[in-house]
Amino acid sequence: MARHRGPKARARPPGRWRALLAGGLVLGVGATATLAAWNDAENASGTFGSSVFDTVSKNSTDTTFASHDQSPATLAFAATGMSPGALFTAGLDVRTTGAGDSPTAASTVGGTALLASAVPTGDTQLTGQLEYRAIVTTTATSCAAVVHSGAYVAATAVPAGVQAALSANAGNTVRFCFEVRLKTTAPNTTQGRTGVITWSVTATSAS
């Protein structure tokens, strides 16, 4: 007798499985995208200001300091009648600015003042026969009383190491003493001539 077979279970269409899987993937991605993390930030700021370094100077026989970065101070050599071998001295006082040097602000840092250059102008027949020595001392010492141990140099040269420390806020004053002479070998053609030597002192801050 033939065995009766019931109806076969219908297989689920493969397209439906793919749709369900795809839907699961979409749901999974959507769930991840909705997650969030707490966040916060901290900020900081700083205030900065620059220091002040400025200098003033004067003829050592004067009483008032001023800025001479554009026009040079006039030194009191009184050397209008030079003869071969005769010596003439003068001094330049230099310090940093202080509270009383209005409108210039007081220097907040110190530094170093250095004799940096010497430039002769005028009649070269005379300036070519001039030579000098320089030294730094305190204001308590007259340049006429300074003992120079260095060699004379030409009016176009600068002796090495003529420098001194400067304190902030007009804390000290240094005196550059110059001793100038007409060479002992100066010829007669040097007579009746005039010339100028302009020295430059460069100040550099310590920081």
Side-chain angles (χ1 to χ4, degrees):
M1 180 176 195
R3 184 178 295 177
H4 177 74
R5 294 180 180 179
K8 293 183 178 179
R10 289 181 295 176
R12 192 181 298 271
R16 185 174 181 183
W17 284 112
R18 285 196 294 269
L20 288 174
L21 289 173
L25 290 174
V26 170
L27 290 173
V29 171
T32 302
T34 58
L35 293 177
W38 302 118
N39 63 81
D40 196 3
E42 303 297 333
N43 301 301
S45 65
T47 301
F48 304 91
S50 57
S51 62
V52 175
F53 182 74
D54 197 4
T55 56
V56 286
S57 62
K58 69 177 182 64
N59 179 345
S60 60
T61 62
D62 290 340
T63 58
T64 304
F65 283 89
S67 175
H68 292 101
D69 58 341
Q70 299 297 321
S71 57
T74 301
L75 302 182
F77 278 105
T80 57
M82 301 184 77
S83 301
L87 301 176
F88 295 86
T89 62
L92 176 71
D93 292 349
V94 179
R95 65 167 171 77
T96 59
T97 52
D101 294 318
S102 181
T104 304
S107 294
T108 58
V109 294
T112 302
L114 169 71
L115 180 60
S117 68
V119 179
T121 55
D123 196 323
T124 57
Q125 291 290 324
L126 174 63
T127 58
Q129 296 298 319
L130 295 178
E131 55 188 9
Y132 76 97
R133 298 189 290 191
I135 196 171
V136 185
T137 185
T138 65
T139 56
T141 304
S142 167
C143 286
V146 168
V147 177
H148 292 267
S149 58
Y152 284 97
V153 298
T156 56
V158 178
V162 183
Q163 62 184 21
L166 296 175
S167 300
N169 194 24
N172 71 322
T173 301
V174 297
R175 177 166 291 175
F176 287 79
C177 287
F178 301 93
E179 180 186 272
V180 183
R181 74 174 182 180
L182 189 61
K183 292 179 182 179
T184 56
T185 57
N188 287 333
T189 54
T190 307
Q191 297 180 60
R193 302 178 185 276
T194 58
V196 175
I197 303 176
T198 299
W199 289 277
S200 177
V201 173
T202 299
T204 304
S205 67
S207 60

